[in-house]
C-alpha cells in the first residue's frame, strides 16, 4: 500500500509562503516624497520685484508683483506697485485698472485715487484733443465735456481750466509810428487820385 501524498503539509507550506510574501510587500518602505519648499513670503516677493524694477526689468517686476497678488490676495501692495509702474510708463488705462484693485482692498488709498484721477484726466485730454482735431466734438458729448470741465474747475478752485493763449506784446512805439505814417501816406495817395473811395477798397 502506497503512502498517501502529504497534501495537507504542502497546502500549509504554500499558505505560509504567501503570507510571508504579503508581509514582506507590506514591510517595504515607500519612497520618500520630497517636501515642497515653503512658499515665499510677501516681503521676499516684493523685494525680488523691487530688485527687478530697479534693474530696469519692468515686466519681470510686474510678473513678480502678480505672483505676490495671487499668493496674498488680500494685500494691496502688489497692485499699488503695478499701478504706479503702468502710470510711470504712460499706460494710463492699465494704471487705472490696477489702482482699482487697490481700492477694492483699501477704498481710502490716496495713491490709488490719485493715479485714477490723473490717468483719467490724461486719457480724457488726449481723447478730447483728437475729437477737436477731427471737429467731431458736438451735441451731447460737447455739453457733457463742458459740464465735466466746470466740475473740474470747481474741484480745483480755478476759474479757467486752461488759460487762454498769451497775447503778443505791443510793438515798440517807433514801429507803431512808422506804421501810422505809412497809412497816412497811403490815404493821401489814394485821395489824390480820381477815385475818392480808393483808400477803402
Amino acid at each position: 500500500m502506497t503512502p498517501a501524498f502529504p497534501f495537507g503539509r504542502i497546502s500549509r507550506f504554500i499558505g505560509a509562503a504567501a503570507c510571508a510574501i504579503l508581509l514582506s510587500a507590506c514591510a517595504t518602505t515607500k519612497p520618500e516624497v520630497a517636501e515642497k519648499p515653503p512658499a515665499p513670503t510677501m516681503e521676499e516677493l516684493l523685494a525680488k520685484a523691487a530688485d527687478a524694477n530697479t534693474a530696469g526689468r519692468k515686466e519681470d517686476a510686474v510678473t513678480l508683483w502678480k505672483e505676490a497678488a495671487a499668493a496674498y490676495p488680500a494685500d494691496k501692495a502688489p497692485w499699488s506697485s503695478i499701478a504706479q509702474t503702468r502710470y510711470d510708463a504712460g499706460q494710463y488705462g492699465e494704471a487705472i485698472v490696477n489702482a482699482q484693485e487697490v481700492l477694492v482692498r483699501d477704498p481710502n488709498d490716496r495713491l490709488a485715487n490719485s493715479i485714477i484721477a490723473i490717468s483719467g484726466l490724461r486719457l480724457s485730454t488726449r481723447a478730447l484733443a483728437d475729437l477737436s482735431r477731427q471737429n467731431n466734438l458736438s451735441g451731447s458729448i460737447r455739453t457733457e465735456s463742458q459740464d465735466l470741465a466746470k466740475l473740474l474747475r470747481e474741484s480745483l478752485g480755478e476759474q479757467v481750466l486752461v488759460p487762454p493763449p498769451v497775447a503778443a506784446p505791443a510793438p515798440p512805439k517807433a514801429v507803431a509810428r512808422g506804421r501810422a505814417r505809412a497809412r497816412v501816406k497811403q490815404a493821401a495817395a489814394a485821395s489824390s487820385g480820381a477815385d475818392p473811395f480808393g483808400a477803402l477798397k
Side-chain angles (χ1 to χ4, degrees), residues 68-92:
Y72 300 92
D75 202 307
K76 68 176 184 176
W79 295 110
S80 183
S81 298
I82 296 171
Q84 184 67 59
T85 300
R86 295 306 190 203
Y87 174 81
D88 292 341
Q91 298 170 340
Y92 301 120

Side-chain angles (χ1 to χ4, degrees), residues 22-170:
L22 286 174
L23 287 173
S24 66
C26 292
T28 57
T29 57
K30 293 180 180 178
E32 291 186 14
V33 178
E35 292 183 19
K36 290 182 179 179
T41 65
M42 172 64 81
E43 290 74 21
E44 291 171 344
L45 289 170
L46 292 179
K48 284 182 185 177
D51 291 342
N53 192 36
T54 304
R57 300 189 327 270
K58 304 292 184 186
E59 291 307 313
D60 291 343
V62 169
T63 300
L64 288 166
W65 283 319
K66 286 181 178 179
E67 286 178 20
Y72 300 92
D75 202 307
K76 68 176 184 176
W79 295 110
S80 183
S81 298
I82 296 171
Q84 184 67 59
T85 300
R86 295 306 190 203
Y87 174 81
D88 292 341
Q91 298 170 340
Y92 301 120
E94 289 187 44
I96 290 171
V97 169
N98 290 290
Q100 286 174 331
E101 289 289 343
V102 175
L103 294 181
V104 167
R105 291 152 180 83
D106 180 7
N108 298 319
D109 189 283
R110 292 184 69 182
L111 176 64
N113 278 308
S114 299
I115 287 174
I116 290 172
I118 297 170
S119 296
L121 283 172
R122 292 195 174 176
L123 287 174
S124 299
T125 303
R126 192 183 297 166
L128 287 171
D130 290 343
L131 282 171
S132 296
R133 203 167 34 250
Q134 298 163 6
N135 294 323
N136 285 336
L137 190 59
S138 60
S140 62
I141 295 175
R142 184 180 183 87
T143 304
E144 189 171 349
S145 300
Q146 290 169 342
D147 292 342
L148 289 172
K150 180 181 175 187
L151 176 64
L152 192 56
R153 282 196 306 272
E154 291 170 358
S155 299
L156 295 174
E158 298 288 339
Q159 292 299 319
V160 178
L161 194 58
V162 179
V166 179

